Amino acid sequence: MGPLEKRYVLAVLEARRLAMGPYGQRFEARMADLCGTRHAIAVSSGTAALHLMVRTLDLPPGAAVLTTPFSFVATANVLLYEGLHPRFVDIEPRSYNLDVSRLDAALTPAVRALLAVDVFGMPADWPALTTFAERHGLRLLDDACEGLGAAIGGKRLGCWGEAAAFGFYPNKQITTGEGGCITTDDDMLALRYRSMRNHGRANDYHMEHVRLGYNYRMDELSAAVGCAQLERLPELAARRAQVAEAYATALSSLAEDLILPAAKPGVQHQWFVYVVRLADHFAPGARDLLMERLREHGIQSAPYFPCIHLQPYYRERFGYRPGDFPVAEAVSASTLALPFFPGLTEADVHRVAEALTVLLPSLPRTPYRVFAPS
Ligand SMILES: *Cc1c(COP(=O)(O)O)cnc(C)c1O
């Protein structure tokens, strides 16, 4: 938060219009500009954005939606809100995004839509997903909550699929405290999203309710913070990229043991988190041990993500077990998010790298691994 955020928030307090006002409209216009879409509809969270997008699929209860088990739990929860069945498809081990080559095998007559995620700000393979969805007549949605500003071949996230969801929780590329946004080029969908976020009103300022709606509005204070953050996005993104660059340099000598986030040609990645993966020669449990040791060094890290299908609620309800999605599970068990935010200093990065340099050799390795003589 900087002086611009303060100025805009104070302007809201002084103007005393706290909801449905000019900052909300300005925020939406800037989001549409940034993403290159006809419409942007600001809402109260990324989850609210996803929920409205899924509800507007108008699918019958029991219909299935292809999605990834390697995401934040909200991606699948929004399907359950609408009585839909998440049909998980395993991920690709380098980008951590949906493995497009596995989609065909996951198709059943019940599958009617595809909800892909841009994991850690790395765009999913949208050209391939688009072709697949068109070929099989599936509706296509983007959970872009971690990917604001990312693009493929210059085409921004937000305009892939029929609609995209963004989230503005404090850990995202920009924040509004709590908040989210839907972007779409479809006029009819935009109209329905606007109505559904505002109690199903036919017109934002009248008391006629033509459909089942929700209160998913974004308030003016949040929108004011969002306007300032969007103006500062180039600066914030550049800082994140600098921190990522510093990590890449500081960790380059650990390449045997640590798999660093990959770049992809033609893809403009937006840094969301800095997640590293332990190489396969470490024993199961090494990642958790590393996290514990880092904590003893005063360095926070997080397991990111735990698989959705192995969350207690999903296991209990659907009977999922370890082994169901082996790639996602292996990635999930060996990845950890290092401290990462625009204010992280070069010295902080070096402290983390030094701790990792000391700790990695002490981690247990798989005993059966045969090393080629060097
Ligand atoms: C953050 C996030 C969400 C949810 O956003 P909220 O604003 O916290 O509701 C959904 N999906 C993904 C992939 C996210 O990272």
Side-chain angles (χ1 to χ4, degrees), residues 203-221:
N203 172 308
D204 270 342
Y205 301 96
H206 291 157
M207 289 295 281
E208 189 191 13
H209 304 271
V210 293
R211 54 175 62 79
L212 181 63
Y214 305 84
N215 179 358
Y216 282 169
R217 294 174 305 228
M218 177 185 277
D219 66 85
E220 281 286 283
L221 295 160

Side-chain angles (χ1 to χ4, degrees), residues 122-123 127 150-155 160 263-269:
M122 172 62 76
I152 303 177
K155 184 172 169 182
W160 296 92
K264 228 172 148 187
V267 171
Q268 295 81 49
H269 176 200

